[in-house]
């Protein structure tokens, strides 16, 4: 364990040259998280206030994913990004569905991403967003991005050989290109969530800087 810790520490030191990428990622994570208080203020029901607090978890997972990527642990980093994406869609889909929320939170009902995704792609959700704001929101493109990201990030949760870290001769070593790929995936998650949140809550600024 000490040798492994040293290897990851060395990776973190090597990643010092990637500070610009990481700074942008962190700023975007903070921009999403900063909207939590406004979302909490917009909540009318108990379950909505609970959901608003989940932005803390999304923020925390985002930063942990970035840290893991800096140490060379890209598989767990991407698994956390998948969790961020899914939880963000949970907040949107369950905001107007207290029955689903309480079943999930208090009765251990499983979250099915297909059902969550169907909600944000439904014609009813599109119409709801249009009624809330006259500003255009391309939910079809946002939905396509979310679907593609979820599939890509799920490849590490449901393992596929092409994503095996141990197949590389320099397993768990720092590689700038791999860090860049993981940070880019994280940025896509942030932008997708900001897009769907902005559509549902037009009076709150969710756009990452």
């Amino acid at each position: 364990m000490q040798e492994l810790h040293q290897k990851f520490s060395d990776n973190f030191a090597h990643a010092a040259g990637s500070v610009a990428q990481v700074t942008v990622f962190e700023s975007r994570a903070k921009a999403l998280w900063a909207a939590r208080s406004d979302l909490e203020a917009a909540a009318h029901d108990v379950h909505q206030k609970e959901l608003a607090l989940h932005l803390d978890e999304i923020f925390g997972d985002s930063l942990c994913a970035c840290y893991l990527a800096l140490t060379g642990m890209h598989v767990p980093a991407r698994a956390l990004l998948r969790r961020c994406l899914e939880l963000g869609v949970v907040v949107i889909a369950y905001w107007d569905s207290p029955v689903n929320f309480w079943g999930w939170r208090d009765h251990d009902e499983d979250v099915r991403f297909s059902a969550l995704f169907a909600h944000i792609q439904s014609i009813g959700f599109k119409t709801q967003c249009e009624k809330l704001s006259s500003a255009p929101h391309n939910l079809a493109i946002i939905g396509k991005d979310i679907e593609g990201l979820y599939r890509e990030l799920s490849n590490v949760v449901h393992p596929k050989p092409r994503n095996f870290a141990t197949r590389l001769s320099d397993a768990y070593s720092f590689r700038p290109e791999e860090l860049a790929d993981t940070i880019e995936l994280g940025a896509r998650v942030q932008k997708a969530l900001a897009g769907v949140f902005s559509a549902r809550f037009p009076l709150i600024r969710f756009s990452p800087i």
Side-chain angles (χ1 to χ4, degrees):
M1 288 297 101
Q2 289 179 338
E3 291 177 3
L4 193 60
H5 175 68
Q6 185 60 54
K7 186 175 185 64
F8 292 146
S9 296
D10 291 343
N11 287 344
F12 191 87
H14 288 313
S18 303
V19 64
Q21 299 175 59
V22 173
T23 299
V24 172
F25 180 89
E26 185 178 359
S27 296
R28 285 173 170 160
K30 287 179 178 178
L32 285 170
W33 174 73
R36 192 208 74 179
S37 58
D38 289 335
L39 186 62
E40 193 174 7
H44 299 296
D45 296 322
V46 175
H47 82 283
Q48 292 174 339
K49 292 185 181 297
E50 293 276 346
L51 285 167
L53 296 177
H54 293 349
L55 267 68
D56 288 347
E57 190 75 5
I58 294 171
F59 175 70
D61 280 354
S62 295
L63 293 192
C64 287
C66 186
Y67 172 77
L68 289 170
L70 288 168
T71 64
M73 291 188 280
H74 294 279
V75 169
R78 295 179 187 191
L80 275 179
L81 290 176
R82 178 184 183 269
R83 191 170 184 259
C84 292
L85 181 67
E86 188 166 23
L87 186 54
V89 180
V90 163
V91 173
I92 291 292
Y94 287 177
W95 190 264
D96 302 304
S97 183
V99 172
N100 285 332
F101 171 81
W102 293 118
W104 168 62
R105 204 204 75 161
D106 287 1
H107 303 288
D108 202 30
E109 290 184 359
D110 291 335
V111 169
R112 290 181 173 81
F113 189 79
S114 58
L116 299 176
F117 183 69
H119 175 86
I120 63 173
Q121 286 290 277
S122 67
I123 190 65
F125 182 72
K126 180 177 181 293
T127 299
Q128 181 185 29
C129 292
E130 290 173 348
K131 298 292 184 182
L132 291 170
S133 173
S134 58
H137 295 286
N138 200 328
L139 289 170
I141 292 178
I142 295 171
K144 186 176 180 180
D145 289 343
I146 289 175
E147 185 180 32
L149 277 166
Y150 187 78
R151 183 180 296 111
E152 187 169 356
L153 294 171
S154 292
N155 286 336
V156 297
V157 178
H158 307 291
K160 292 187 177 180
R162 68 173 179 271
N163 289 311
F164 286 0
T166 52
R167 294 187 67 174
L168 300 172
S169 59
D170 55 346
Y172 302 113
S173 295
F174 174 72
R175 287 180 292 279
E177 66 280 2
E178 191 168 25
L179 175 62
D181 288 346
T182 300
I183 293 296
E184 175 60 23
L185 282 169
R188 288 171 57 197
V189 168
Q190 292 168 335
K191 291 176 182 178
L193 288 181
V196 73
F197 269 92
S198 295
R200 176 58 184 84
F201 306 103
L203 298 180
I204 302 174
R205 178 176 172 79
F206 279 97
S207 301
I209 59 176

